[in-house]
Amino acid sequence: MKVLVLGNGIHAKKRVIPALQQIDIVDSIVVGDKNTTKSEIRNNINFVNLSNVFESKEQYDLTLIVTPPYNHLESFQKVKEFSAKVLIEKPITNDFKYLFSSDMKNYFNEGKVIESLMYLHHPVWNRVKQLIDLNDIRLIESNFSVPHLESKSFRYSKKLGGGSLNDQGIYPISLASELIKDRYEITSLNIDKEKNYEVDLGGEIQINFENLNFIGKWGLGKEYANYLKIIDKNDDEYLINFFYSKPDDTNIIIQNQNESKNINIGVHDQFKLMYEHALNEDFEKFQYSSYESIKKRYSIFMYTILQIMMRNFKE
């Protein structure tokens, strides 16, 4: 099968391309890169100038858009005619008017366009859902925070779709939206801003639903944190390294008053699993990218963005 990768940044080089190279049914990888001046093949990968990709309209089984958020939908418009499926990095866009259009509704429901949330393809996600269904849960807390990155990173550019909400916050917010079955209430929202940065640097949201409290935290320029904590009404605690992109061991640590035990889920490459599910058209694994799920997720996301805009206006 033939896969097109749009973008050749650090993420593509460290996560995306290595995952594709592990998939047996992928026999051709083409990377569209704006910095490539002439086509060349390196390590069995064909690197092509981005404009040539759009002009040639060569057919692909799957296109992965791994560029900064500001041009996600523009790229989708250019490749949707010659790619069977298009998987777009989170957040799928910051153009919410088009996101909720009738065209996009059809694309989502047909499985033509998919948002990339790799952690939902890891086997630990099924274990998490079982834990929540089988126990009387009172609190779910998630946190995804990272130290400062290179100053040239698009994550510090408002124009390019940077900011901690777009880069880290989408994880706890998407998790909450996947757990919410019916009504919910956002009871608290705090946004971290600093004068020396044009983008947000983190936040915390609290949501009540299903008789439990959800706390989502995220941060850029913070101490590294990557976990999901679940506490039931007996104060038993389940701690999981959750939003983890590296194919390392994943564990569920269960602690109560009497003991502590470790459940090992094993080593899994979330990106490889996600791309395999897309190529095999295993759409059951992409229920989180149905139009109804997208609406729920981005309703919370847009509420958070509105609070950031209001704070910027006040300043």
Side-chain angles (χ1 to χ4, degrees):
M1 302 188 84
K2 195 166 187 176
V3 178
L4 170 64
V5 180
L6 294 185
N8 191 30
I10 295 174
H11 175 62
K13 293 172 180 174
K14 290 180 65 175
R15 302 278 183 266
V16 178
I17 295 173
L20 288 172
Q21 290 175 313
Q22 298 177 58
I23 301 175
D24 292 337
I25 60 174
V26 174
D27 48 36
S28 176
I29 302 173
V30 177
V31 177
D33 180 12
K34 65 180 181 180
N35 296 318
T36 297
T37 55
K38 63 178 181 178
S39 298
E40 57 180 333
I41 297 176
R42 303 195 304 268
N43 299 321
N44 296 320
I45 300 170
N46 190 9
F47 292 85
V48 183
N49 182 270
L50 204 55
S51 59
N52 293 340
V53 170
F54 297 141
E55 291 170 5
S56 70
K57 296 186 178 180
E58 194 170 339
Q59 297 296 308
Y60 295 93
D61 297 290
L62 175 66
T63 293
L64 310 176
I65 299 177
V66 294
T67 55
Y70 80 101
N71 68 352
H72 280 176
L73 286 189
E74 179 185 352
S75 297
F76 170 69
Q77 290 294 334
K78 292 179 179 179
V79 302
K80 62 183 173 65
E81 300 302 328
F82 55 84
S83 184
K85 294 174 289 296
V86 182
L87 197 154
I88 305 177
E89 279 290 311
K90 52 74 194 166
I92 202 162
T93 183
N94 48 12
D95 182 355
F96 299 109
K97 182 178 180 180
Y98 185 68
L99 179 64
F100 294 120
S101 68
S102 58
D103 284 347
M104 287 302 290
K105 179 179 180 179
N106 292 332
Y107 291 139
F108 280 117
N109 288 338
E110 293 167 1
K112 177 76 173 182
V113 60
I114 305 166
E115 184 170 42
S116 168
L117 291 174
M118 76 289 178
Y119 75 94
L120 294 175
H121 294 263
H122 195 291
V124 75
W125 173 231
N126 287 328
R127 297 296 291 268
V128 166
K129 290 188 289 185
Q130 290 172 5
L131 282 173
I132 294 172
D133 289 341
L134 297 175
N135 295 277
D136 196 1
I137 305 302
R138 67 175 180 83
L139 175 66
I140 299 174
E141 179 182 313
S142 68
N143 189 343
F144 186 33
S145 300
V146 299
H148 275 302
L149 307 170
E150 292 181 6
S151 59
K152 294 181 180 179
S153 170
F154 76 87
R155 293 164 180 84
Y156 297 98
S157 169
K158 184 178 180 181
K159 179 181 177 181
L160 298 182
S164 185
L165 174 64
N166 278 348
D167 202 45
Q168 293 85 38
I170 186 65
Y171 288 106
I173 286 176
S174 64
L175 172 62
S177 73
E178 287 305 297
L179 296 174
I180 293 170
K181 293 183 175 66
D182 194 3
R183 297 179 180 180
Y184 66 90
E185 179 186 7
I186 298 175
T187 58
S188 175
L189 175 63
N190 296 306
I191 301 298
D192 296 339
K193 287 276 291 180
E194 293 184 17
K195 290 184 178 179
N196 294 333
Y197 296 90
E198 62 182 58
V199 297
D200 69 287
L201 294 180
E204 178 180 319
I205 191 169
Q206 293 193 34
I207 307 173
N208 285 338
F209 61 91
E210 308 290 330
N211 296 317
L212 62 82
N213 190 32
F214 177 91
I215 301 174
K217 303 177 182 180
W218 61 92
L220 176 60
K222 307 290 193 295
E223 183 178 354
Y224 182 79
N226 187 345
Y227 66 82
L228 172 64
K229 183 190 295 183
I230 302 171
I231 301 176
D232 65 22
K233 293 191 176 178
N234 295 320
D235 285 333
D236 292 344
E237 181 178 298
Y238 308 84
L239 186 63
I240 307 145
N241 50 322
F242 197 58
F243 307 115
Y244 205 57
S245 60
K246 296 179 182 179
D248 290 355
D249 264 356
T250 299
N251 299 286
I252 300 176
I253 301 172
I254 305 174
Q255 295 179 321
N256 58 35
Q257 295 179 351
N258 300 316
E259 63 176 343
S260 175
K261 63 179 180 178
N262 191 325
I263 301 175
N264 182 261
I265 309 299
V267 178
H268 300 273
D269 187 327
Q270 302 175 35
F271 288 97
K272 176 176 180 286
L273 291 171
M274 178 171 62
Y275 301 151
E276 285 178 332
H277 293 154
L279 288 165
N280 291 321
E281 297 189 347
D282 189 354
F283 294 123
E284 184 179 345
K285 298 291 195 302
F286 290 98
Q287 286 298 313
Y288 68 83
S289 203
S290 69
Y291 185 69
E292 290 305 313
S293 293
I294 289 287
K295 279 203 308 182
K296 183 167 56 174
R297 175 153 66 252
Y298 280 93
S299 294
I300 302 173
F301 200 75
M302 288 168 62
Y303 177 86
T304 311
I305 289 176
L306 180 61
Q307 302 310 305
I308 294 174
M309 292 172 62
M310 291 176 63
R311 179 163 176 173
N312 289 342
F313 179 76
K314 291 178 181 178
E315 293 176 351

